Amino acid sequence: MNPQRSSVLPFAVPGGAANRASEDNAPDEPTLEALIARFKLVSRAQILTFIGKARAATLVRSGERATTLRVRKDGVRLFTAAANFLAIATDDQKKLLLGATDAFLTAGVSALSVCVTVGGTAKSKKGEQALLRGRAVSVVEAIEEEAATRRDVLYTACLPLTGGDPVWTQRLDDAWSRDDRTRASLADSLARLVTEARELARDATARGVEHGLDEAYLHATTELATQLKGADEKVAASVSTQNVAQGDVNWWRGTCIWFIKTLVDIFASARRGDPRIPELRLATLKALFSHPSPKSKRVPVAPPAPQPPQG
């Protein structure tokens, strides 16, 4: 591939402040879309020909240290700068930049394209995930409220059917319970109460006592208890189907960072052979490779010698 020559060189070149400021004064900001149009994107397999032997955990840790936006900004700027210079470089300069092949640049731009796409998808899915969870929780809370009300109603409807029998009253109390710490415990309590109510209703009917505990009502109450018992799992399922593979996002960020840093190092090495080759400077990713200077060691100062008393 032979990238098109550009009149704008978005990189630092030796020869004074005017040249170094050319990137800031560039009339056209480099874009990822322009890079994608300039390079034919390749598959992950071809990207892995350059980065495939790197430890995935190392790339993920590197990707955790930068946002997709920071990777995109430096990546677009520096790949554009490299491509622009290589379009006008002399044969001797290209011999110093042997690592910056078309295949390397294409793989780097392809990785950057995937990184931005995956990062954007992850951000979108997180918003969808929060919305889905909010909706699911609202539904579950409504079921929980209905179940609590139904339990109270069923309990009080059963009391007149006990005939004052303390054994029946105790059975209803045990079934009703007061353990409302979880939705599952409320569901179990409601289900137990339905079981006692069904038996009590049959007993009351045999004694000729009228009541409103028909089978349709009790069946509907059992269904409500079942819905509540599986409610938390449904909330989790509604979110897990939209889970974002953050590890993949970080891997692509780390891969792009490797390509970007390698490109910067290729140009830095070439400059030692020809200072006219531009320096590619990290900006948004600079902090990832900055090492604080060691603190200067303080030389201990001896305390002043005691003075003899005046006298």
Side-chain angles (χ1 to χ4, degrees), residues 83-114:
N84 285 347
F85 178 75
L86 286 168
I88 62 172
T90 66
D91 290 341
D92 288 339
Q93 289 172 330
K94 289 178 181 178
K95 289 178 182 178
L96 295 172
L97 294 164
L98 290 179
T101 62
D102 284 349
F104 175 86
L105 295 178
T106 300
V109 171
S110 299
L112 188 61
S113 175
V114 176

Side-chain angles (χ1 to χ4, degrees), residues 81-248:
N84 285 347
F85 178 75
L86 286 168
I88 62 172
T90 66
D91 290 341
D92 288 339
Q93 289 172 330
K94 289 178 181 178
K95 289 178 182 178
L96 295 172
L97 294 164
L98 290 179
T101 62
D102 284 349
F104 175 86
L105 295 178
T106 300
V109 171
S110 299
L112 188 61
S113 175
V114 176
C115 177
V116 171
T117 300
V118 170
T121 300
K123 185 176 181 180
S124 174
K125 283 190 175 180
K126 284 180 180 178
E128 294 173 9
Q129 189 178 59
L131 180 61
L132 286 172
R133 180 176 179 82
R135 289 175 178 172
V137 168
S138 296
V139 171
V140 169
E141 288 176 346
I143 294 174
E144 182 179 14
E145 184 177 353
E146 183 181 356
T149 301
R150 183 73 65 96
R151 184 177 63 163
D152 290 343
V153 170
L154 183 57
Y155 176 83
T156 55
C158 287
L159 288 178
L161 306 182
T162 63
D165 185 348
V167 174
W168 263 118
T169 302
Q170 185 61 51
R171 286 175 63 175
L172 293 175
D173 286 346
D174 291 343
W176 190 86
S177 178
R178 291 186 179 275
D179 183 5
D180 295 336
R181 288 174 294 180
T182 66
R183 295 187 180 106
S185 63
L186 174 58
D188 288 340
S189 173
L190 183 58
R192 290 196 305 270
L193 192 58
V194 168
T195 300
E196 298 294 352
R198 183 174 281 115
E199 184 177 345
L200 182 58
R202 286 196 296 265
D203 181 75
T205 300
R207 288 185 280 118
V209 179
E210 293 185 5
H211 57 82
L213 300 180
D214 57 31
E215 186 56 35
Y217 178 85
L218 294 175
H219 178 74
T221 305
T222 300
E223 289 294 313
L224 181 62
T226 302
Q227 288 181 42
L228 181 60
K229 192 168 186 178
D232 288 334
E233 289 77 5
K234 288 182 179 179
V235 171
S238 70
V239 175
S240 64
T241 55
Q242 297 294 324
N243 272 348
V244 179
Q246 188 61 43
D248 287 345

Side-chain angles (χ1 to χ4, degrees), residues 227-298:
Q227 288 181 42
L228 181 60
K229 192 168 186 178
D232 288 334
E233 289 77 5
K234 288 182 179 179
V235 171
S238 70
V239 175
S240 64
T241 55
Q242 297 294 324
N243 272 348
V244 179
Q246 188 61 43
D248 287 345
V249 176
N250 291 334
W251 186 90
W252 281 107
R253 287 176 185 164
T255 295
C256 289
I257 290 169
W258 181 87
F259 273 103
I260 293 167
K261 182 61 169 59
T262 301
L263 181 64
V264 169
D265 290 344
I266 289 171
F267 270 72
S269 176
R271 275 175 53 77
R272 289 193 284 271
D274 185 345
R276 294 173 300 171
I277 293 174
E279 176 186 6
L280 301 186
R281 297 179 184 147
L282 293 168
T284 56
L285 298 176
K286 183 178 180 180
L288 272 64
F289 303 99
S290 298
H291 301 286
S293 56
K295 294 180 180 179
S296 57
K297 296 182 180 180
R298 292 187 177 181

